[in-house]
Amino acid sequence: MRVSTNWMQQQSIGDMMNRQSDLSRLSTQISTGKRINQPSDDPIGSARALDMTHLISDAAQYKRNISSANARLGLEDQTLGNTNNVLGRVRVLLLQAANGSQTDESRGDIAAEMSQLRQQLLGQANSTDGQGEYIFAGNRTGTQPFVSQGSVNYLGDNGQRMVAAGPGLQVATGDAGSDIFMNISTGNGTFAVSAAATNTGTAVAGSSNVTNPAANPSAWDGGSYSIVFTAPNAYEIHDGGGAVLDSGSYDPANDGSITFRGAQVAFSGAPAAGDTFALGASTKQDVFTTMDNIIKALNTPNGGKAPMQNALNTQFANLDQAINTLTRTRGLVGARMNTLDQQSSLNDDLTLQYKTSLSDVQDVNYYDAISQLGAQTTALQASQQTFTKIQGSKLFDYLR
């Protein structure tokens, strides 16, 4: 093989260029602190680093989502607390109004305050957040959800705004006003009791419940029935068609409760023959209608008698259902906030893991890099010295 001087020079130049390239790469790694500064440095590691970067970016977005969701849920909880205070005041006033010592004038004063509380309740239902969006409008946050035109109408929808709080985790950031203020079960939540307008006695229906539902869940069948007093001390149970299903004696001095088919109703006072109380499956009634019915009963002249007491007791049960609905909703809001807090901690842990993995993949080991830099510098200097000697040598130098 014939070795020319030109070939040797080219080999030396190529070796020096490689050494300079290695030095440049090491200098860049040391100055940036990154082992991978371009995909060609490590194609596989670069792909892994890109995946880790995306995961870190996703975690940062989850953190922003959680912060926004917590702020909105916190505002909802505060609003529900204010609403609960309003309904709590209504309940106190209702208890005062049911006292037999009240007069038409004093009940009228209570009704006037309840009218103001109704306006406060409507204002709470139309609350907005810091962006001017309605809290209880479902997904129609730009539309005022509750409009009072005699009765109150709901103009929002039944949707819930969701936010991504973590991989595969969606959390609701609000509740539709239809579930909180409108679609509230009447009575005890299973059935409701109402007195006939034609009753002439002093019998008043009080608390009602399903007896031992855990042991006998099918006892109450959800049908329509009537308790018909055939005498001041006797009653019959009629079905929806008027057929007699059962009968018994009534003694207000000895408990005064009537029980049939899993339903129990407490009575007080003296019924007249023919007085009737209807029992039917609970329906839905909005809290504003409940308050309107209470105000109407309180403004009825010659109050304090059984008809008004029965009307108030009916609405009292409905009011308690509204308060229970608020309490359950606040519980759900609290559970979501707890979920968000837990997910936030988990996201922080995951972010730390992602950053650690990213550092392992792309960050430079300064000790190794500096050691390599020294070795490459020495190698480059040797290549340069070798090139200098080869470049200055001639064939005639060996023929002398």
Side-chain angles (χ1 to χ4, degrees), residues 3-4 13 41 80 93 124 258 326 328 345-346 361:
V3 179
S4 67
I13 292 173
D41 292 341
L80 290 175
L93 292 175
Q124 293 295 329
I258 295 177
L326 282 176
R328 288 193 300 269
S345 298
L346 178 59
V361 170

Side-chain angles (χ1 to χ4, degrees), residues 42-325:
D42 183 352
I44 295 177
S46 179
R48 289 184 58 196
L50 184 61
D51 290 340
M52 291 297 105
T53 300
H54 287 165
L55 291 173
I56 293 172
S57 178
D58 290 344
Q61 183 61 56
Y62 292 143
K63 187 178 184 67
R64 291 190 292 271
N65 290 350
I66 289 173
S67 178
S68 175
N70 268 325
R72 187 174 178 85
L73 287 172
L75 182 58
E76 179 183 0
D77 180 66
Q78 179 181 357
T79 305
L80 290 175
N82 294 337
T83 302
N84 192 65
N85 291 337
V86 172
L87 293 185
R89 177 58 181 168
V90 172
R91 195 176 193 277
V92 169
L93 292 175
L94 186 55
L95 286 171
Q96 293 177 2
N99 191 304
S101 63
Q102 298 288 348
T103 64
D104 287 350
E105 290 75 15
S106 61
R107 280 189 291 269
D109 293 338
I110 293 174
E113 182 176 350
M114 284 197 176
S115 296
Q116 295 300 316
L117 292 172
R118 183 187 184 278
Q119 289 301 113
Q120 290 184 30
L121 181 64
L122 184 63
Q124 293 295 329
N126 283 323
S127 295
T128 59
D129 60 16
Q131 285 72 44
E133 296 183 335
Y134 291 95
I135 299 175
F136 300 115
N139 290 320
R140 301 182 65 183
T141 56
T143 300
Q144 180 177 318
F146 296 93
V147 177
S148 180
Q149 298 172 336
S151 60
V152 173
N153 297 318
Y154 179 66
L155 303 182
D157 62 23
N158 299 324
Q160 283 185 305
R161 298 178 67 178
M162 310 293 290
V163 67
L169 177 62
Q170 297 280 329
V171 177
T173 62
D175 296 275
S178 55
D179 295 330
I180 301 172
F181 299 95
M182 303 301 289
N183 300 324
I184 301 173
S185 298
T186 57
N188 56 33
T190 302
F191 65 87
V193 182
S194 60
T198 56
N199 288 358
T200 58
T202 61
V204 175
S207 61
S208 64
N209 61 280
V210 177
T211 59
N212 199 7
N216 191 11
S218 61
W220 170 254
D221 58 10
S224 297
Y225 301 95
S226 298
I227 299 175
V228 180
F229 287 93
T230 56
N233 60 351
Y235 68 89
E236 293 178 344
I237 305 299
H238 295 184
D239 64 12
V244 178
L245 303 178
D246 198 2
S247 61
S249 59
Y250 167 70
D251 183 4
N254 184 18
D255 184 17
S257 294
I258 295 177
T259 302
F260 70 97
R261 294 200 175 184
Q264 184 179 61
V265 183
F267 286 93
S268 61
D275 284 358
T276 302
F277 292 82
L279 276 76
S282 292
T283 57
K284 300 296 183 181
Q285 178 172 291
D286 64 87
V287 65
F288 304 102
T289 297
T290 296
M291 291 193 66
D292 289 341
N293 290 341
I294 294 172
I295 294 169
K296 180 181 178 181
L298 293 178
N299 284 325
T300 301
N302 300 316
K305 297 182 179 179
M308 191 200 73
Q309 292 296 323
N310 278 309
L312 292 181
N313 284 354
T314 297
Q315 300 309 319
F316 198 105
N318 297 340
L319 178 64
D320 280 347
Q321 287 298 317
I323 293 174
N324 290 339
T325 298

